[in-house]
Amino acid sequence: MALLKVKFNQKKRVKLAQGLWLMNWFSVFAGILVFSMGLFLKIELRKRSEVMDNSESHFVPNSLILMGILSCAFNGFAGKICYDSLDPAKFAKWKPLLKPYLALCFVFNILVFFVALICFLMRGSLDSTLAQGLKNGMKFYRDTDTPGRCFMKKTIDMLQIEFKCCGNNGYKDWFEIQWISNRYLDFSSKEVKDRIKSNVDGRYLVDGVPFSCCNPSSPRPCIQYQVTNNSAHYSYDYQTEELNLWNRGCREALLSYYSGMMSSMGAVTLLVWLFEISVMIGLRLLHTSLESIPNPEDPECESEGWVLENSLKDTFKSALENLKKLGKFNQVEAGAEGAEGEEGGKTPAITTVS
């Protein structure tokens, strides 16, 4: 029994073709939307590529861009087919291409669904990318005179101001690295010498943070240096008092920003996928209803359209059998080639007559 079997007359076939033509052009605009989302996400990721460890995060925008281009191409082609199906003479040239085209549409829809899922599942990979990238970026914060790293200070400062964050996981991350350049340190000062000597790696570590960590909404002037020294500030306790620094780490802030963006794009892509599935089913019904017309010279006669010629179970069984036959055919060919090789390798016997 055929799956989703529907009876059509000429009026219904025309309406289906016209509706599919319109839906395909809507799908073209949806493809442009998916392409635009991928392009926007790629630009946003490139803005902060200096604080990202690798290019894995660009898999999502690249996939969205590719799916957007393919969607425009597939649906533009399908729109032309639907338009020509109104004229039997024009539709005849498309008949041999429809089955391969529908198979490609099926593969394309699987890819669209896969990309939509990836948008939701990329959080873990993005988390590790940001964690390592921010850690490296903070190490280069002081290298304002080093070619290739001279803009890292500005990048980190603008990032912390824009996203209202501080450090990788929190403001205390700045205590573990030397973020002040040596050119701004007075090496004749006893305090500087003592701090450098007290560190195994010879770094100048302080319990302070860059100015970009300061929260401008705090009523108290920013306590940027000696953050953990209660005696250095009047009426201050860093353990109990709410600090006038951003408490959230930049990794969490960026992860929330990009994850929210990717989840929204995944939801949109999923809606586009559902729309593409409905278009593919409609195109299959149109294809089968036109092919099953009993008398091609009488376009007004009734016909039947279906999505699958047999039930889902029978179709699945048939596909498995075809795969098995294909496997056996390959084995037979391989065996025949081996036998030919053996025969070719034999040396003919020579008979001598005495």
Side-chain angles (χ1 to χ4, degrees):
M1 184 180 177
L3 183 67
L4 288 178
K5 198 172 185 179
V6 184
K7 284 190 176 182
F8 289 91
N9 53 30
Q10 187 188 18
K11 189 177 179 181
K12 283 185 178 180
R13 286 193 295 269
V14 169
K15 282 186 176 180
L16 178 61
Q18 290 174 340
L20 284 172
W21 178 83
L22 188 62
M23 288 176 72
N24 274 294
W25 284 109
F26 274 124
S27 294
V28 169
F29 289 116
I32 294 171
L33 175 63
V34 172
F35 174 84
S36 303
M37 289 191 307
L39 194 61
F40 175 74
L41 181 58
K42 193 170 185 67
I43 292 169
E44 285 296 302
L45 289 170
R46 281 198 176 276
K47 280 182 184 178
R48 297 168 186 94
S49 59
E50 292 172 331
V51 293
M52 292 187 175
D53 184 46
N54 53 46
S55 58
E56 283 182 13
S57 53
H58 287 275
F59 177 75
V60 172
N62 290 341
S63 300
L64 288 171
I65 289 169
L66 179 62
M67 290 302 107
I69 293 170
L70 289 176
S71 179
C72 292
F74 273 98
N75 290 293
F77 183 69
K80 174 65 175 171
I81 292 173
C82 294
Y83 182 79
D84 286 350
S85 66
L86 298 172
D87 184 352
K90 289 182 178 179
F91 181 72
K93 64 181 180 181
W94 297 116
K95 274 188 176 182
L97 298 174
L98 272 173
K99 278 189 177 180
Y101 173 74
L102 285 167
L104 285 174
C105 282
F106 181 73
V107 174
F108 169 70
N109 281 306
I110 291 174
L111 291 175
V112 172
F113 182 72
F114 175 73
V115 170
L117 283 182
I118 288 296
C119 288
F120 294 107
L121 300 175
M122 276 295 288
R123 183 182 176 90
S125 176
L126 189 62
D127 189 10
S128 59
T129 296
L130 287 169
Q132 191 60 41
L134 281 165
K135 187 178 180 181
N136 293 333
M138 289 170 64
K139 286 179 182 177
F140 303 141
Y141 182 88
R142 65 173 180 167
D143 297 338
T144 52
D145 299 325
T146 306
R149 299 176 185 171
C150 52
F151 296 107
M152 187 57 74
K153 179 184 181 300
K154 180 183 176 182
T155 300
I156 296 289
D157 283 334
M158 294 303 295
L159 176 69
Q160 294 188 145
I161 291 169
E162 183 182 351
F163 285 91
K164 299 179 179 180
C165 59
C166 184
N168 191 345
N169 299 306
Y171 69 90
K172 289 185 179 180
D173 292 336
W174 288 107
F175 300 173
E176 300 171 4
I177 62 171
Q178 180 182 338
W179 55 271
I180 302 173
S181 176
N182 287 338
R183 66 182 295 188
Y184 301 114
L185 295 176
D186 181 10
F187 287 96
S188 62
S189 168
K190 184 178 182 301
E191 182 191 352
V192 174
K193 288 179 180 178
D194 290 343
R195 282 190 178 274
I196 292 174
K197 286 179 181 178
S198 65
N199 186 267
V200 176
D201 299 326
R203 294 177 297 169
Y204 181 75
L205 303 181
V206 292
D207 56 343
V209 296
F211 77 97
S212 52
C213 282
C214 295
N215 181 357
S217 302
S218 175
R220 180 170 187 154
C222 184
I223 297 175
Q224 183 183 350
Y225 296 102
Q226 295 185 325
V227 176
T228 58
N229 187 356
N230 292 335
S231 60
H233 313 284
Y234 176 74
S235 184
Y236 174 73
D237 185 354
Y238 83 95
Q239 290 182 331
T240 58
E241 185 176 349
E242 185 178 351
L243 298 176
N244 49 7
L245 305 175
W246 300 120
N247 291 315
R248 186 166 67 156
C250 290
R251 180 182 60 83
E252 182 188 344
L254 282 172
L255 185 63
S256 176
Y257 174 70
Y258 284 121
S259 294
M261 191 185 295
M262 287 185 183
S263 296
S264 301
M265 291 179 179
V268 172
T269 308
L270 207 55
L271 290 174
V272 171
W273 172 74
L274 290 172
F275 195 72
E276 292 282 358
I277 288 289
S278 62
V279 170
M280 185 180 70
I281 291 172
L283 190 60
R284 173 63 175 166
L285 287 171
L286 179 65
H287 166 225
T288 51
S289 65
L290 288 169
E291 273 199 335
S292 64
I293 293 175
N295 184 9
E297 294 180 0
D298 181 17
E300 294 186 2
C301 64
E302 289 189 348
S303 63
E304 291 183 339
W306 56 83
V307 174
L308 293 175
E309 194 169 358
N310 300 311
S311 66
L312 194 61
K313 186 178 179 181
D314 292 339
T315 304
F316 183 70
K317 283 182 178 179
S318 177
L320 282 178
E321 286 175 3
N322 289 333
L323 287 173
K324 286 178 182 178
K325 286 178 182 177
L326 185 63
K328 288 179 181 178
F329 179 72
N330 289 335
Q331 287 177 2
V332 169
E333 278 193 339
E337 287 176 3
E340 285 177 5
E342 287 177 4
E343 288 177 2
K346 287 179 181 178
T347 305
I350 301 172
T351 307
T352 57
V353 180
S354 56

